[in-house]
Amino acid sequence: MTLDAAEETAHHAAMTAPQSPFDRLRRILADIPPGAPPIDFSIGAPKHAPPEFIARVIAEAADQFRPYPPIAGNASFQRAAHDWLDRRYRLGGWFREAGALLPLSGSREGLVLSVVTARDWLGKSNPAVLYANPYYQAYVSAAHVIGAEGVPVRTPDGPSPLPDFDAIPAETLDRAIAYYFGSPSNPLGSVASRADWHALFDRAERHDFFVFADECYSEIYREASGPPVGALEVARERPEVLKRLIMLNSLSKRSNLAGMRVGIVAGDTEVIGAMKDLRNQIAPQVPLPLQEAAAAAYDDETHVAENRRLYDEKFAAAEEILGPLFGPVTPAGGFCLWLKVDDDLAVTETLWREAGVKVIPGSLLAAGKGADNPGVGRIRIALVAPYAECREGLTRMAAVLAPKMAETQAALG
C-alpha cells in the first residue's frame, strides 16, 4: 500500500533515531553571532587533566596492541575493577562471588547492549523501556535500536531522583523490560538514597523489569557530603535483586578519560554471561594497553579526590556569582547547574548573543511538550572548563541575566 505524504512522514519519524540535542542546539544558534569570545557550557566533556601515569602505562603496554583482546577483559582489568567496586561500595568480596563484570568501549555501548540483553532475557511482547526524564540521549536511542516503546518517567526536582511510578499505567509497567536510572542524575545532580534504591528494586520485582543503574557520575559528588549510595551496595543487602540489576560506570568522568572510551558493566553472572556472548559477536574489544591503563586508574584514588576538589571550587564560584540571582545552585552530585529561567530557548539565545556563553536549553534534554516537558524553563550549565574560564562565563551570565530578572520582578510588582 502506498503511503500518503503524512503517513510517510510519520513512518520515517518512527524509523529514525532521535536527534542529538547538541545538533539541535547548533541549528538554533547557527545564525546568531556570539557577543564575546565564546565560552561553551553546553557539553559535559571533562576538561580536567587525566592522571599523569596514563600515557606511561599505555606506552609500556604498547606491544599488547598486537593481539585481539579477550572480550571479558584481562586479569589486570578484572582484578582492578573488582578491587575498586569492593572499596567504593564496601562489598567485602561479595560481588566477586555473586556477579560478573565486563569492560566496555565506554558506558554508552553498555547502555545499548543492556537493553538488547534485557529484551532477550525477559522475552516480553511489545516491550517498553522506561527512562529518566530529563534523559541522556543514549537511553532513547537504545529503545529505538530494539524497536521498543520509550516511556519517559519524570525525575522530580527534589533531592531524590526516584520518580512517581504510580503515575505510570500498570499495563505499561508490566510491559517494561528496563528502567534507565542515573544517580547522580543528569542534569539535575540528585542522588538516590538507600531507601530510594530499595523502593526501585521493589518496583522492578513487582513488574519484572531490569534496573539499569547508570552511575557514571558516581565519583563526582560534593566532598563535604560524601559518596552516594550505589546500586550494588544495596543489592548486597538483598542479593536476589542482582538478577534484575545491570550497573554501568565509566572512567570518563571519574578520571577525565572520556577519549579513552573504557567503562564497565556489572551484574548477575548469568545475565552478564549472556551479554558477553552477544558482545563477543557485535562489539569491539577494549585494547589491552587501554585495559592496563584503566587498571592503573582504578587503583588510584588521589587523582579522583583532586578532580572533586576542582569541581567543588567551581561550584563555590557559582554560588557566589549566581546564588544571589537563583538561590542555592549546587547539586549533590555531577558537574552541572540546572537553573530555572522564564524561557529556556530565549535565555539560551540571549546568553549567546549578548555574552558569548553557550548553554543548553533544558527542553532539548527532556521529552514532552509544553508543561509536560520537565526541561522547559531550565538551562543546563556544565562546569567542565578550567576555573578561570568558568568564573568568567558565570560572571558574564550574571551581568546579562540580573537586569532582565529585575525587570521581570518589577513587572510582577
Side-chain angles (χ1 to χ4, degrees), residues 7 15 44 48 63 104 124 134 167 176 182 205 238 246 261 266 296 311 326 328:
E7 288 175 322
M15 296 298 290
H48 297 164
D63 193 54
L104 296 170
K124 293 185 180 182
E205 288 190 306
R238 50 192 296 186
I246 294 177
R261 310 309 305 137
Y311 284 120
F326 294 94

Side-chain angles (χ1 to χ4, degrees), residues 22 41-44 186-187 336-338 359-360 365 379-382:
F22 305 106
F41 285 153
S42 67
I43 298 178
N186 177 23
C336 294
L337 302 173
W338 185 240
V359 302
I360 188 159
L365 300 173
I379 56 173
R380 192 190 79 169
I381 300 160

Side-chain angles (χ1 to χ4, degrees), residues 254-333:
R254 175 189 182 272
S255 300
N256 303 309
L257 290 169
M260 200 167 83
R261 310 309 305 137
V262 179
I264 59 171
V265 58
D268 171 78
T269 302
E270 290 186 284
V271 174
I272 297 300
M275 189 184 298
K276 182 184 76 171
D277 291 343
L278 174 67
R279 194 173 186 281
N280 199 33
Q281 299 176 73
I282 67 169
Q285 303 101 316
V286 176
L288 285 167
L290 302 189
Q291 290 190 41
E292 295 293 339
Y298 278 125
D299 282 340
D300 182 73
E301 292 294 332
T302 302
H303 75 279
V304 185
E306 172 62 10
N307 198 35
R308 282 193 294 273
R309 186 193 69 77
L310 293 173
Y311 284 120
D312 282 356
E313 187 178 43
K314 288 183 282 190
F315 277 111
E319 288 291 347
E320 174 195 338
I321 297 166
L322 297 182
L325 298 178
F326 294 94
V329 297
T330 302

Side-chain angles (χ1 to χ4, degrees), residues 119-156:
R119 178 201 61 189
D120 296 348
W121 190 267
L122 295 175
K124 293 185 180 182
S125 60
N126 191 24
V129 174
L130 313 178
Y131 61 89
N133 189 31
Y135 61 86
Y136 177 44
Q137 58 267 26
Y139 304 162
V140 182
S141 294
H144 169 78
V145 164
I146 65 167
E149 178 189 1
V151 179
V153 179
R154 190 174 189 128
T155 301

Side-chain angles (χ1 to χ4, degrees), residues 170-351:
E171 178 272 337
T172 301
L173 292 173
D174 287 338
R175 287 192 296 113
I177 59 173
Y179 172 44
Y180 286 102
F181 178 72
S183 177
S185 63
N186 177 23
L188 285 75
S190 51
V191 169
S193 67
R194 191 173 302 275
D196 288 335
W197 283 116
H198 278 296
L200 180 53
F201 287 138
D202 288 344
R203 187 71 64 163
E205 288 190 306
R206 191 178 313 157
H207 296 281
D208 190 26
F209 60 76
F210 278 90
V211 174
F212 293 164
D214 183 354
E215 298 188 61
C216 289
Y217 289 89
S218 67
E219 307 314 287
I220 311 299
Y221 54 84
R222 307 294 77 83
E223 194 70 57
S225 303
V229 177
L232 286 175
E233 198 171 342
V234 176
R236 187 189 180 191
E237 300 173 3
R238 50 192 296 186
E240 71 280 2
V241 303
L242 187 61
K243 202 77 172 181
R244 61 183 70 258
L245 169 64
I246 294 177
M247 189 278 279
L248 301 113
N249 213 307
S250 162
L251 293 174
S252 295
K253 277 75 175 179
R254 175 189 182 272
S255 300
N256 303 309
L257 290 169
M260 200 167 83
R261 310 309 305 137
V262 179
I264 59 171
V265 58
D268 171 78
T269 302
E270 290 186 284
V271 174
I272 297 300
M275 189 184 298
K276 182 184 76 171
D277 291 343
L278 174 67
R279 194 173 186 281
N280 199 33
Q281 299 176 73
I282 67 169
Q285 303 101 316
V286 176
L288 285 167
L290 302 189
Q291 290 190 41
E292 295 293 339
Y298 278 125
D299 282 340
D300 182 73
E301 292 294 332
T302 302
H303 75 279
V304 185
E306 172 62 10
N307 198 35
R308 282 193 294 273
R309 186 193 69 77
L310 293 173
Y311 284 120
D312 282 356
E313 187 178 43
K314 288 183 282 190
F315 277 111
E319 288 291 347
E320 174 195 338
I321 297 166
L322 297 182
L325 298 178
F326 294 94
V329 297
T330 302
F335 49 51
C336 294
L337 302 173
W338 185 240
L339 301 182
K340 192 170 185 178
V341 295
D342 288 337
D343 183 328
D344 55 302
L345 292 169
V347 167
T348 295
E349 292 182 8
T350 297
L351 288 173

